[in-house]
Amino acid sequence: MEENSKTTKRNLWMYPLGTIGRDMIYALFNSFILTYVLLTRTLDTAQLAAITAIMIGARVFDAVNDPIMGFIIEKTHTKWGKFKPWLAAGVLSTAGVIITIFNTTLQGWGFIAIFGVIYFLYSITYTMSDISYWGMIPSLSSNPDTRNQFTSRAVLFAGIGSTLAGMLIPMFTVGELSLTNSTQTSYGIISIAIAILAIGFICFALFGIKESKEAMEVKKDVKKKSTKEILKTIFKNKPLLWIIIAFIFQQIGNSLILGGVGSTYVYFQYGYEGGLYSLFSTIGVAATAVLMIFYPMISRKINRKPLMTIMLIVALVGYGLMGLTAFSFLNSSIVGFWVLTIGYMLSNLGQYGFYLIMMISIMNTVEYNEYISGEREEAIITSVRPFVTKMTSAIIVGLTSLSYIVFKVTDYTNQISSLEQQATTGAIDETAKLNGINAVISSIDSGQKLGLLLFMILVPLVCLLISYFVYQKKYHLDENEYQRICDEINQRKEANN
């Protein structure tokens, strides 16, 4: 692939800018939907089970659908390319979906019904944009260093989007800085704002990116592939298979805290104040920005496997600090909150180091696929990343709901949502609502809070260790082997010319 320096520089800015709004949507829906439901709806055990089943079912469906969507994109050929039409359609439709779910006032089983419909719609619409966005990277550059820059910048800007959402959503929906007296109404306003931002930011990618001539070529001989053939493409690629396994465990460990357990614990332990959780989540991911910015430079000095070992040590230190807050002299003080937050920052830095390494490792299996079969199959192979993310998100929902049941979280969140509903209807004012919620939180048993803390430390830690050993022992497509494969592919092309 011939690469133009001016075009590459432009793409290196336009491409990552496009994902900021998309990832704000992702954070709103995936990290806060369960918190939103718990704080604005009164749920019995059957309704919580129904919501859990809907979320797991939709995310499994979404994950299975990813390779199929990848092939649909692969055979799409328009004057705008194969990625941009789906990118535009996906963002626009997802914006409508999130506005709908966060602005409905339905309660009880009526809400469960609309929740189910919306959740499956989101699974379809977000997949359109996600597969097309990340599938674009291999078509923008085949140079390893440039591809590292595209990947690290995209992950960095995705992190900016999710960090902004993680900071602003709890701050403006819960506590004294809430946009309105009602958490329900505040979430509705936030959803509209994020939908508008997503549409605005995606324009950078739609109108600013120039793809390579090779990527824009219309291939008239594209054969339709069955699901079986798509799966065969994945299963014959051994490095891809092993990275899938390692990635599954990494994603569970990486996402569990922000999937709902973290916010619940912070609210229960340190008070019903969105600003505190904003600090926890924002500072928790702040250090990852440094890694994302400097990863291309670091990757020139340190190979991926040694870097992963360094990241593991950093994460272990972080989880150790979080564990210290279990002791009584720290667990409820502001000092304890900062120890917990710094510990999460370090653990998240290690986790994100793993994530970035695995992103690059997945991208590099495109060339491996071309090496063994003669076909690149970018869209199908890169669909693995969102496939794994969504499949593990289903597991995270199950684990989070399990923790809520085991530690009887809904006994307290139902009381909180009842007070929130009264505030929404104007039956009580802001002061009465917050006083009532603080009384509920004061009544929570210390053993339940300790259980939540240990759950959000031990499960991610075990998953991280499994991911580390699988990658170190089984993924053999390192820097030297990747370069050898690229050289071999180029030699074959030269021989055929």
Side-chain angles (χ1 to χ4, degrees), residues 28-79:
L28 172 63
F29 202 89
N30 287 67
S31 297
F32 290 97
I33 189 69
L34 200 50
T35 300
Y36 162 75
V37 172
L38 286 175
L39 298 182
T40 62
R41 267 73 187 180
T42 303
L43 303 173
D44 58 29
T45 303
Q47 289 169 338
L48 177 60
I51 283 177
T52 302
I54 288 167
M55 293 176 72
I56 291 175
R59 294 186 185 195
V60 170
F61 161 78
D62 196 9
V64 173
N65 186 49
D66 278 354
I68 299 171
M69 189 69 226
F71 176 66
I72 292 172
I73 293 171
E74 192 69 53
K75 61 177 294 193
T76 298
H77 296 285
T78 71
K79 65 181 180 180

Side-chain angles (χ1 to χ4, degrees), residues 265-469:
Y265 176 74
V266 171
Y267 290 150
F268 280 12
Q269 184 67 59
Y270 300 103
Y272 193 70
E273 180 53 61
L276 279 179
Y277 183 65
S278 291
L279 283 173
F280 173 79
S281 59
T282 302
I283 294 173
V285 300
T288 64
V290 177
L291 180 61
M292 303 312 162
I293 292 170
F294 293 105
Y295 180 79
M297 185 187 303
I298 294 171
S299 66
R300 298 185 197 112
K301 303 292 184 180
I302 308 174
N303 286 347
R304 289 189 294 274
K305 288 189 175 181
L307 179 59
M308 183 175 273
T309 300
I310 295 171
M311 292 295 101
L312 176 65
I313 294 170
V314 172
L316 291 175
V317 172
Y319 287 122
L321 285 175
M322 292 176 69
L324 286 178
T325 63
F327 294 98
S328 58
F329 69 94
L330 281 178
N331 62 13
S332 60
S333 68
I334 193 64
V335 175
F337 170 79
W338 283 109
V339 172
L340 180 77
T341 301
I342 293 170
Y344 175 58
M345 179 183 70
L346 292 174
S347 67
N348 200 46
L349 176 62
Q351 288 277 9
Y352 258 75
F354 273 48
Y355 173 75
L356 191 55
I357 288 167
M358 291 186 188
M359 283 282 291
I360 298 294
S361 299
I362 289 173
M363 299 299 177
N364 287 351
T365 63
V366 170
E367 280 71 30
Y368 180 83
N369 200 74
E370 185 178 7
Y371 173 73
I372 63 173
S373 69
E375 298 180 354
R376 290 174 64 80
E377 306 282 19
E378 294 110 321
I380 293 175
I381 290 173
T382 54
S383 70
V384 164
R385 185 209 59 82
F387 169 84
V388 170
T389 299
K390 293 165 186 175
M391 184 63 77
T392 54
S393 70
I395 298 172
I396 290 165
V397 169
L399 289 172
T400 301
S401 294
L402 178 64
S403 73
Y404 289 167
I405 293 170
V406 171
F407 303 115
K408 299 180 180 180
V409 168
T410 54
D411 287 357
Y412 305 100
T413 57
N414 280 344
Q415 296 178 60
I416 293 172
S417 66
S418 177
L419 290 163
E420 285 284 2
Q421 290 167 36
Q422 292 177 57
T424 301
T425 60
I428 58 175
D429 61 17
E430 177 82 4
T431 302
K433 183 190 81 170
L434 293 178
N435 287 339
I437 290 174
N438 288 333
V440 172
I441 290 174
S442 297
S443 69
I444 299 173
D445 183 75
S446 60
Q448 292 168 292
K449 291 186 284 188
L450 178 60
L452 283 172
L453 174 64
L454 294 178
F455 184 84
M456 72 182 201
I457 294 173
L458 296 179
V459 175
L461 175 58
V462 170
C463 288
L464 188 70
L465 289 171
I466 294 173
S467 176
Y468 173 80
F469 287 114

Side-chain angles (χ1 to χ4, degrees), residues 7 37-38 86 97 104 134 154 176 228 234 276 341 374 416:
T7 299
V37 172
L38 286 175
W86 291 105
V97 165
T104 180
W134 292 105
E176 294 181 356
K228 182 178 179 180
I234 295 172
L276 279 179
T341 301
I416 293 172

